[in-house]
Amino acid sequence: QVQLVESGGGLVQPGGSLRLSCAASGSIFSINAMGWYRQAPGKERELVAAITSGGSTDYTDFVKGRFTISRDNAKNTVYLQMNSLKSEDTAVYYCNADIVLSSLGRANYWGKGTLVTVSS
């Protein structure tokens, strides 16, 4: 019914930048909060940043000042601009969305993830 598809991951040198995108498609009536999580090898998945439908944002401490989350409600898309990347930012980044379906049911969805590797 609903798909979240991430893109924009890749290999970048320390200090570099990447922009991740996540597009939601399917039987969507509206989208509430959207967020980005990440999971590094051997670690648990953790919240990176979140944004409400009204544009209010929240960031975890380790990305404040470096990452910016934004969204385009008309395109059902959320972005994560990542600057000043560090090797410890290496992880699979997942998109998450709280979606009201066309049937007016509500569900939480995850994308399949996009790999970000920060290395020289």
Side-chain angles (χ1 to χ4, degrees):
Q1 281 186 322
V2 173
Q3 279 190 317
L4 300 182
V5 179
E6 301 101 335
S7 60
L11 173 64
V12 63
Q13 292 186 342
S17 298
L18 281 176
R19 189 191 194 211
L20 305 183
S21 300
C22 170
S25 62
S27 302
I28 298 170
F29 178 76
S30 65
I31 303 178
N32 297 321
M34 303 183 81
W36 288 96
Y37 289 72
R38 71 186 186 186
Q39 187 167 18
K43 296 188 177 180
E44 294 187 351
R45 191 173 298 188
E46 60 185 359
L47 175 67
V48 175
I51 185 168
T52 67
S53 57
S56 296
T57 59
D58 188 33
Y59 298 91
T60 192
D61 285 345
F62 51 77
V63 305
K64 284 181 179 177
R66 300 190 297 124
F67 292 8
T68 302
I69 189 170
S70 61
R71 63 189 285 173
D72 184 332
N73 291 331
K75 295 181 178 180
N76 289 337
T77 299
V78 63
Y79 306 96
L80 186 69
Q81 177 67 43
M82 305 186 294
N83 299 327
S84 302
L85 283 160
K86 305 175 181 180
S87 58
E88 51 263 44
D89 294 317
T90 295
V92 178
Y93 284 72
Y94 296 91
C95 174
N96 177 269
D98 180 24
I99 295 176
V100 179
L101 304 173
S102 298
S103 62
L104 299 184
R106 182 175 173 181
N108 189 267
Y109 291 89
W110 290 92
K112 293 183 179 180
T114 185
L115 177 62
V116 172
T117 303
V118 184
S119 176
S120 56

